[in-house]
Amino acid sequence: MALTFWNFWSNKLFNWLATFTNTPYWKTKLAVFTVLYILFTSFPDYQALVKMDTGGQRLAARFEVIDWIGTHPFQNLPEHLLTGKVLSEGDQSHFKKRVFRPLIPVALHTVGLKAKHYVGIQFVVGILFVVLLIRFLSKHLSSTSSVLATFMFANLFVTKWTFFDFFYHDPLAYLLLLVIINFRNPLLIILGIVLGGFVDERAVIGSSAAVLWWFWQESNAQKVALSNVFSFKRYHATWATVVGILLFIVLRLYVMSFLGMRTDKSMLGFDANQYNSFPMGLTVTYECAWLLLIGAVVGMVAKKDWQYLLMFMFSALGVIAAGSLVLDFSRSYAYGFVLLLFAIVYLSKTETLTHFQNGLTFCAIGCFLFPTYYQIGSSLFWMPHFFPKIKVLLAFYHVI
C-alpha cells in the first residue's frame, strides 16, 4: 500500500518536473524560486542576532574590527581595539584568528567600502552560490534529478547560511569551493583555493574533496594505475587542486614566520563539550542527505573503488577533525559539502535512474521536514528569519 502510494505520487512529481525543465529559462526560474524559498522558510528563532545586537553596539564593534583588518592586513590585533567594546570572549577569540583571513576586509577597503556594505554584497554571494550549484547539478545529472538535488540543498545549512551570515564570511569560501569544481581551468582552481584559504582556512581542508572530484572526473570513473596518476597533462585539474592546497600552506607559513604573527589558540581544542556535541553537529549539517553520503560509501565498497573511497574518507575525516576543534560545528562541517555533491553524482552514475531519483526524492523530503539548525557548542538555534534580521540592521543604520 505504502509503495503504491509512493510510486503514484513520485511518478506525478517526476512528470511535472520533466514538463518544468522543458520550459524556457527553467534554470533561471529554479534559481529565483530557490532564493525566495530560502528566505521564506528560514524561521522562526532569530535569537542569535537579536540577542547579540545590544542596541547595535556589538554589531558596530564587529564592523569596526573588520574595517581595521582591511587597513592593517596580516597584523596582530592591538589590545586597545578590543577593550571597552561590547564583544564577547568568542568574538575576541574569533577576531584574533581572523587576522589570517583578510581577503574580504582588504577587498572592501581597496574599493572604498566598509564592512557594513558587505551585508548587501552577501546576498549577491548567496545568489551566485545558487546559480553555480544549479549549473553543477544540471551538468552532471538529468534535469529532473538536478531540480530535486537543488531543492534538497535549499534546505541544508550550507545554502541557507549563505543568505544569512554577514559576520563569519564562510559563504564566500563556500562559493569559491563551488567555483573550483565547476571550472577545470588550473589557474582558476589554484586561485580559488588560495583566496578561499584567506577567507577561512577550512576552505583549504574542504578543497581536498575537489581532489577526489577532479581525479574521478579525469579518470572517467575508472580504476587507475598509480604510475598513470602522475600524468599532469591528463590530470591537470587534479594536480592544480593539489598545487593550490600546497601553495596556500606555503603562503600561510610565510606570513606566520616572516611577519612574526601568531595563531590564537583560545577556544580551540577537543574537550568533553565538543565530544558530546559534535555528533549532533554532523547530523544537523547534512540532515537526511547523510543517506546519500552513506550510500556513496556503500557503493564504492560494492564496486571496489578503493582509490576513490580512500580519498573520500581522507577528505571527510579532515573536515570532521578540523570542525570538531571549534564550537561552531555547523558552519565548519559544511565545508565538506563538495563530498555530498560527489556522492550525488557518483550514485547517479552507478544506480538505475528510477532508484536514484526515488532515493533523492526521499532525501529531499526528509531535508524539507528537518528544521535547519545552527549549532554552537551544545546550543542549537533554528536558522535566523530574514525579516527580524532586516529589522536589526535597519536599527543599526538608524533608519528605525
Side-chain angles (χ1 to χ4, degrees), residues 273 277 327 374-381:
N273 181 57
S277 300
L327 292 177
Y374 170 50
Q375 181 177 11
I376 181 164
S378 58
S379 301
L380 283 171
F381 300 97

Side-chain angles (χ1 to χ4, degrees), residues 153-171:
F153 262 89
N155 290 284
L156 293 180
F157 178 91
V158 63
T159 313
K160 289 195 171 186
W161 187 246
T162 302
F163 287 89
F164 299 107
D165 165 63
F166 61 89
F167 169 59
Y168 292 109
H169 298 164
D170 301 284

Side-chain angles (χ1 to χ4, degrees), residues 34-46 48-50 52 59 62-63 118-127 129-130 153-172 174 331 372-374 381-393:
T34 302
V35 172
L36 294 177
Y37 170 81
I38 291 170
L39 293 176
F40 181 75
T41 58
S42 293
F43 67 92
D45 193 345
Y46 203 48
L49 184 61
V50 173
M52 76 131 212
L59 203 57
R62 285 177 161 187
F63 285 152
Y118 191 73
V119 176
I121 297 173
Q122 184 67 69
F123 284 90
V124 178
V125 171
I127 292 170
F129 183 92
V130 170
F153 262 89
N155 290 284
L156 293 180
F157 178 91
V158 63
T159 313
K160 289 195 171 186
W161 187 246
T162 302
F163 287 89
F164 299 107
D165 165 63
F166 61 89
F167 169 59
Y168 292 109
H169 298 164
D170 301 284
L172 181 60
Y174 298 155
R331 71 184 189 90
T372 306
Y373 288 106
Y374 170 50
F381 300 97
W382 280 11
M383 286 295 290
H385 193 301
F386 175 70
F387 298 105
K389 178 174 185 177
I390 293 299
K391 180 180 179 181
V392 171
L393 293 176

